[in-house]
């Protein structure tokens, strides 16, 4: 059964960083003033403590040799990132906005940037290629990680060449992949992601002994619709590490049950409820509708609140 946060069940978490929103030429930019790393796992703290006790109790002659306490490790500097909605081939504008925000004395600098939703545009912008992306994003000031949405057919020849596990598209431009969980910024930011959109007619399809040709074909070409297996893979990856929750969830659709949703998905709602990321950013497909929810608990007893932002293109 899919679990969607109920209206009125939102609960603020004052210890989390607030977000600043600003609209620049149709793009919704979000910056996080701070995002602190998670504390060490309890097991790790216990292990360190047991090693210290063992060393002190083995001192010779009954003399209590107290080792000087190690100085605390310096706190990591605040992590700042910026998120864009559906780009739709407006690479020049995206690169320009990212450069301006990064160099801004009030907002920048940033450590990393993300883009959700449809990334490529119509054929009027030219057929995508590695050379085109290298030229369009040659001046990126920080790494830019993208997921894909319902991409135009003109982009198919290029997208078909991309591995489902993700890859580097050009200098500082990365495709995260079809679905999964990864870490960026030297492991300081844990990101869950799902590319594509839901097609109810095909979502439940699974490989079978009778007909698996379609699934083999998906290995060699990009399909805009994701399948239940890819959602299960994401959830499995998110659950495999008990010591670290996800900081960011990236999808190209909103979760089902949200108000004024331009394109919603029950699968995204399930992912959001189980992953319980600190921040969930979603594209809007072609609706150009933005939504900010109050902080809410993805499930009872969740370790922290989730902040949802549906981004306009």
């Amino acid at each position: 059964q899919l679990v969607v946060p109920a209206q009125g069940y939102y609960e603020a978490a004052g210890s989390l960083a607030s977000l600043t929103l600003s609209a620049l030429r149709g793009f919704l930019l979000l910056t996080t003033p701070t995002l602190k790393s998670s504390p060490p796992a309890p097991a790790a703290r216990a292990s360190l403590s047991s090693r210290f006790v063992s060393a002190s109790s083995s001192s010779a002659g009954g003399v209590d040799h107290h080792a000087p306490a190690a100085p605390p490790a310096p706190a990591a500097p605040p992590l700042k990132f910026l998120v864009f909605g559906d780009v739709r081939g407006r690479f020049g504008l995206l690169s320009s906005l990212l450069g301006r925000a990064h160099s801004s004395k009030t907002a920048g600098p940033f450590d990393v940037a993300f883009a959700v939703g449809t990334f490529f545009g119509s054929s009027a912008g030219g057929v995508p290629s590695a050379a085109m992306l290298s030229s369009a994003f040659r001046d990126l000031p920080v790494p830019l990680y993208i997921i894909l949405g319902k991409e135009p057919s003109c982009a198919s020849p290029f997208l078909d060449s991309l591995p489902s596990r993700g890859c580097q598209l050009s200098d500082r431009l990365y495709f995260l992949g079809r679905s999964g969980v990864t870490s960026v910024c030297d492991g300081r930011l844990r990101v869950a992601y799902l590319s594509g959109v839901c097609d109810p007619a095909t979502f439940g399809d699974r490989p079978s002994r009778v007909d698996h040709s379609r699934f083999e074909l998906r290995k060699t070409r990009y399909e805009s619709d994701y399948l239940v297996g890819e959602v299960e893979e994401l959830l499995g990856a998110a659950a495999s590490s008990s010591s670290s929750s996800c900081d960011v969830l990236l999808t190209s659709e909103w979760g089902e049950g949200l108000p004024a949703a331009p394109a919603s998905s029950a699968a995204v709602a399930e992912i959001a409820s189980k992953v319980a990321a600190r921040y969930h950013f979603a594209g809007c497909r072609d609706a150009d509708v933005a939504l900010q929810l109050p902080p809410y608990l993805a499930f009872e007893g969740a370790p922290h609140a989730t902040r949802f932002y549906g981004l306009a293109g």
Side-chain angles (χ1 to χ4, degrees):
Q1 182 179 0
L2 300 181
V3 180
V4 181
Q7 193 75 22
Y9 188 59
Y10 305 126
E11 180 172 308
S15 61
L16 294 181
S18 61
L19 288 173
T20 302
L21 298 101
S22 60
L24 296 178
R25 297 186 182 178
F27 281 87
L28 193 63
L29 306 185
L30 294 93
T31 70
T32 55
T34 59
L35 181 60
K36 297 182 179 179
S37 302
S38 301
R45 291 197 295 269
S47 177
L48 291 172
S49 175
S50 63
R51 285 202 299 270
F52 177 77
V53 171
S54 174
S56 62
S57 61
S58 62
S59 56
V63 179
D64 189 10
H65 297 286
H66 291 286
L79 187 64
K80 300 175 67 175
F81 61 93
L82 186 147
V83 187
F84 294 88
D86 297 59
V87 177
R88 303 192 196 114
R90 294 170 289 181
F91 302 147
L93 178 57
L94 172 61
S95 183
S96 174
L97 288 174
L98 180 51
R100 287 168 49 194
H102 180 70
S103 60
S104 168
K105 294 182 179 180
T106 56
F110 292 91
D111 296 281
V112 66
F114 301 98
V116 298
T118 303
F119 189 72
F120 294 95
S122 64
S123 57
V127 178
S129 66
M132 170 201 283
L133 295 177
S134 296
S135 175
F137 295 105
R138 63 182 179 273
D139 297 324
L140 284 179
V142 297
L144 171 62
Y145 294 88
I146 70 168
I147 61 172
L148 300 175
K150 190 171 180 60
E151 303 298 330
S153 58
C154 68
S156 294
F158 176 71
L159 297 180
D160 292 347
S161 66
L162 302 182
S164 61
R165 296 292 183 180
C167 62
Q168 183 172 358
L169 300 176
S170 66
D171 186 34
R172 291 192 165 186
L173 177 66
Y174 301 87
F175 168 49
L176 285 171
R178 293 288 320 195
S179 68
V181 178
T182 190
S183 294
V184 300
C185 296
D186 297 324
R188 295 177 58 200
L189 195 65
R190 186 168 160 85
V191 181
Y193 57 90
L194 176 67
S195 287
V197 296
C198 184
D199 182 350
T202 60
F203 174 71
D205 290 354
R206 295 181 182 273
S208 67
R209 295 178 181 178
V210 178
D211 179 17
H212 61 274
S213 58
R214 179 169 179 265
F215 296 91
E216 290 299 317
L217 193 60
R218 289 178 69 93
K219 296 179 181 178
T220 59
R221 76 181 189 188
Y222 176 78
E223 298 280 358
S224 287
D225 60 315
Y226 52 78
L227 303 182
V228 62
E230 291 164 329
V231 173
E232 292 172 343
E233 182 178 356
L234 188 164
L235 293 175
S240 63
S241 177
S242 59
S243 62
S244 177
S245 60
C246 289
D247 298 303
V248 176
L249 170 63
L250 305 174
T251 65
S252 290
E253 298 175 302
W254 300 12
E256 187 177 69
L258 296 179
S264 62
S265 163
V268 170
E270 181 178 17
I271 292 170
S273 69
K274 292 183 176 179
V275 171
R278 296 178 185 274
Y279 302 101
H280 177 190
F281 301 100
C284 68
R285 295 190 47 181
D286 298 323
D288 279 336
V289 176
L291 174 68
Q292 174 185 351
L293 289 182
Y296 69 90
L297 289 180
F299 55 85
E300 188 172 358
H304 47 247
T306 296
R307 285 172 163 81
F308 172 82
Y309 293 87
L311 304 183

